[in-house]
Amino acid sequence: MQRFYAAIFLTICATVAACSGSDPATLGPVVREPAPASPVPNFGEIKDVRAKKNAFFGYMSELLRQANGEVWQERQLVLQLQERAAGQPLTEHDAELLGQLAAYYRVDVAEPLTDEFFHQLLKRVDVVPLSLSLAQSANESGWGTSKFAREGRNFFGIWCYTPGCGIKPSRAAAGSIHEVQKFATTLEGVRFYIQMINTRGSYSQIRELRAAAREAQEKPTGNELAGGLLKYSERGEAYVNEIRSMIRQNSLADYAVDWRAWNGSQEDYPLTAQR
């Protein structure tokens, strides 16, 4: 069992250095394996539109598969801990793991542990459909050609509010203090995006739609979950419609996530072991 935990769980960020230079308050107390730094492909050099799209989706889908796979493994751990807690008190080690997960996903730990606590935690510890993430990353980064993607490795238009935390938009409104956040690697930005969708109040509707699909033993789809993006952009409903249009026009629903590398399942989006 120790090998199981070592393989799927994450390390505590005891120092700033352990977080690869990122702010622990931003990333939470639990971090993934450090992502190797590599240059962002120059998508602007690709003149053929279809070739550019294929290159972009290929680049982003691999990163999204990795980040979602980490979340999926955490979900399986939560399910195992839920099952153990139903039969007997958790060991000190199990309780520590559960506390780390709850902190990372910003859910208060209930004492004693209740089904409602696990229900709320599992709403957050879940993957984001690849079709939704690919459409958003293409939309927010101008197909990987924006300055924020090339220099800040930010493919999702994520803002920050601490001076120097990112790149100041040249067209920012007078008096605005936001910057477009910079990440050390594109994978770090992808992980941040998924955690943002899974934890921030602005995207609670996405989590509710996803949980409802789970309860119905259906696959959560990017087209459906896009309805929860009303607060992602100031454009509101127009933004939702644009993301749905990109999913449809680029056949992004066909991009299946290969989970076999993560859990041995033959399904693209496993429906097993759901609570």
Side-chain angles (χ1 to χ4, degrees):
M1 191 56 65
Q2 285 296 115
R3 289 181 62 190
F4 172 79
Y5 285 130
I8 75 170
F9 206 66
L10 315 169
T11 57
I12 301 300
C13 180
T15 64
V16 174
C19 288
S20 301
S22 299
D23 181 4
T26 300
L27 287 177
V30 180
V31 294
R32 271 64 178 163
E33 288 296 321
S38 58
V40 174
N42 190 345
F43 296 107
E45 287 186 341
I46 306 175
K47 302 308 179 184
D48 181 80
V49 174
R50 178 173 294 184
K52 177 187 291 187
K53 287 185 175 183
N54 287 340
F56 178 86
F57 290 141
Y59 174 71
M60 290 302 298
S61 63
E62 289 304 311
L63 299 173
L64 287 160
R65 285 186 177 101
Q66 179 174 343
N68 268 322
E70 293 162 349
V71 174
W72 184 257
Q73 291 173 328
E74 290 176 320
R75 183 177 178 85
Q76 303 316 302
L77 177 56
V78 173
L79 288 166
Q80 290 200 12
L81 293 173
Q82 181 184 23
E83 185 174 351
R84 291 176 197 168
Q88 59 187 351
L90 292 178
T91 66
E92 182 178 346
H93 178 66
D94 285 350
E96 182 180 354
L97 289 175
L98 186 60
Q100 291 166 5
L101 279 166
Y104 186 66
Y105 287 96
R106 302 178 186 176
V107 177
D108 293 332
V109 179
E111 290 292 346
L113 296 174
T114 63
D115 287 340
E116 179 59 22
F117 160 74
F118 282 104
H119 179 67
Q120 293 302 321
L121 183 57
L122 286 167
K123 278 186 180 180
R124 298 187 175 212
V125 189
D126 206 343
V127 298
V128 179
L130 198 61
S131 57
L132 181 68
S133 302
L134 288 174
Q136 282 198 272
S137 60
N139 183 283
E140 296 287 346
S141 71
W143 297 94
T145 64
S146 73
K147 177 180 181 179
F148 310 118
R150 290 183 288 103
E151 299 181 13
R153 293 174 171 78
N154 185 339
F155 281 69
F156 292 94
I158 298 166
W159 289 6
C160 57
Y161 298 90
T162 302
C165 63
I167 302 171
K168 189 69 175 178
S170 59
R171 298 182 182 180
S176 66
I177 62 172
H178 81 273
E179 299 178 15
V180 179
Q181 188 162 341
K182 292 181 67 174
F183 296 98
T185 66
T186 306
L187 178 57
E188 183 182 307
V190 168
R191 286 167 168 166
F192 190 100
Y193 156 79
I194 291 176
Q195 195 216 15
M196 182 176 73
I197 293 296
N198 280 338
T199 59
R200 292 192 183 177
S202 301
Y203 312 119
S204 61
Q205 187 181 357
I206 290 180
R207 300 192 292 272
E208 293 294 334
L209 290 168
R210 184 175 59 188
R214 291 292 194 192
E215 289 293 330
Q217 288 289 291
E218 297 174 351
K219 296 182 181 181
T221 68
N223 187 69
E224 181 182 11
L225 268 56
L229 291 174
L230 288 170
K231 296 182 179 179
Y232 200 98
S233 167
E234 296 175 347
R235 298 171 56 221
E237 191 68 41
Y239 180 77
V240 170
N241 292 336
E242 187 169 350
I243 295 301
R244 283 175 167 163
S245 177
M246 293 184 73
I247 292 174
R248 183 178 63 256
Q249 293 176 3
N250 294 283
S251 301
L252 294 182
D254 295 339
Y255 274 77
V257 179
D258 186 359
W259 294 104
R260 288 171 293 183
W262 298 103
N263 73 342
S265 171
Q266 296 301 308
E267 299 181 62
D268 294 330
Y269 206 137
L271 297 174
T272 58
Q274 301 306 312
R275 301 293 175 88

